Amino acid sequence: MERNQEIRYTEIEKTDAYIYDKVEMKVRVEEIYEVVIKDLDGISFIKRAVAPYIKDFSGHANYKRWNQQFDLSNWHFFMAFDGEKPVGGAVLCCNSAELHMLEGREDLGILWDIRVDSAYKRRGVGGKLFDMVMKKAKGLGLCQLKIECQNNNVPAAAFYFKQGAHLGAVNRYAYYGDADEEVQFLLYLNIEAAGV
């Protein structure tokens, strides 16, 4: 286990992963990247302010649901604790044929989820969890990490780009029919180039 001030970080066993759901996954949205596609003439990303709201991913992104839907054999769970309180988490997936996001590649991992309790944001918790995912991915022999992000999570996109990720795909219809009609960004990070 490693320490960052009073926060304790560790990889947890899948048998203990139910505690992952104790960490909220709320994002305050104040701006979005509006995606303007001009046929084959190019794509523009325009940062635009919106009326602030809270996006809560907890109902869709949680261990209980994943455990019912997927084989978690090749999933790795990382947690941050303040004392006994879980305050952050991250999930790395790899070598799972059922996950289409892995593109059938054995050298690709997915940052399936990363979250930090609102009271602990901007304290380096997300960065430390991300570093743990990257070290694990390298140790598993993965060459690249794939990350899904939405156009209404501007802080997350900025964080991933700061880590060295690059935009690999934009899908305006990934969440077709959802109330807020988010745009999916798929980011890729070359693990060796990240200097892990």
Side-chain angles (χ1 to χ4, degrees), residues 78 92 111 128-140 142-145 147 163 189-196:
F78 305 89
L92 170 66
L111 176 61
K128 182 63 177 168
L129 289 165
F130 189 84
D131 289 347
M132 292 175 75
V133 167
M134 291 294 288
K135 285 180 185 174
K136 183 70 170 191
K138 184 174 183 178
L140 292 169
L142 303 177
C143 296
Q144 206 171 45
L145 189 66
I147 307 162
Q163 306 308 313
L189 179 60
N190 296 326
I191 293 170
E192 285 298 326
V196 177

Side-chain angles (χ1 to χ4, degrees), residues 1-12 78-82 87-89 116 120 123-130 132:
M1 290 181 225
E2 300 177 39
R3 290 194 170 270
N4 177 5
Q5 299 172 4
E6 76 275 11
I7 307 298
R8 177 175 51 93
Y9 299 88
T10 187
E11 181 174 358
I12 62 171
F78 305 89
M79 297 291 301
F81 295 93
D82 184 355
V87 298
V116 177
Y120 291 81
R123 291 174 59 181
V125 175
K128 182 63 177 168
L129 289 165
F130 189 84
M132 292 175 75

Side-chain angles (χ1 to χ4, degrees), residues 2-82:
E2 300 177 39
R3 290 194 170 270
N4 177 5
Q5 299 172 4
E6 76 275 11
I7 307 298
R8 177 175 51 93
Y9 299 88
T10 187
E11 181 174 358
I12 62 171
E13 298 293 329
K14 282 181 262 307
T15 53
D16 297 326
Y18 64 90
I19 63 174
Y20 195 88
D21 293 349
K22 294 182 180 183
V23 181
E24 68 177 32
M25 187 171 184
K26 294 180 181 177
V27 175
R28 180 171 173 78
V29 179
E30 297 176 349
E31 57 188 353
I32 65 167
Y33 285 112
E34 188 171 337
V35 179
V36 180
I37 300 178
K38 303 171 187 172
D39 296 319
L40 298 178
D41 291 332
I43 300 174
S44 298
F45 300 90
I46 302 166
K47 200 184 289 186
R48 180 173 58 84
V50 296
Y53 65 96
I54 302 294
K55 175 78 178 186
D56 187 351
F57 293 91
S58 304
H60 298 290
N62 59 64
Y63 169 78
K64 182 178 179 182
R65 184 173 178 169
W66 302 327
N67 195 35
Q68 293 170 349
Q69 289 182 305
F70 303 110
D71 173 7
L72 305 184
S73 300
N74 293 310
W75 290 44
H76 305 273
F77 292 84
F78 305 89
M79 297 291 301
F81 295 93
D82 184 355

Side-chain angles (χ1 to χ4, degrees), residues 152-173:
N152 61 354
N153 198 344
V154 172
F159 172 78
Y160 298 134
F161 287 127
K162 184 179 176 184
Q163 306 308 313
H166 61 276
L167 183 63
V170 175
N171 186 344
R172 293 188 297 166
Y173 303 107

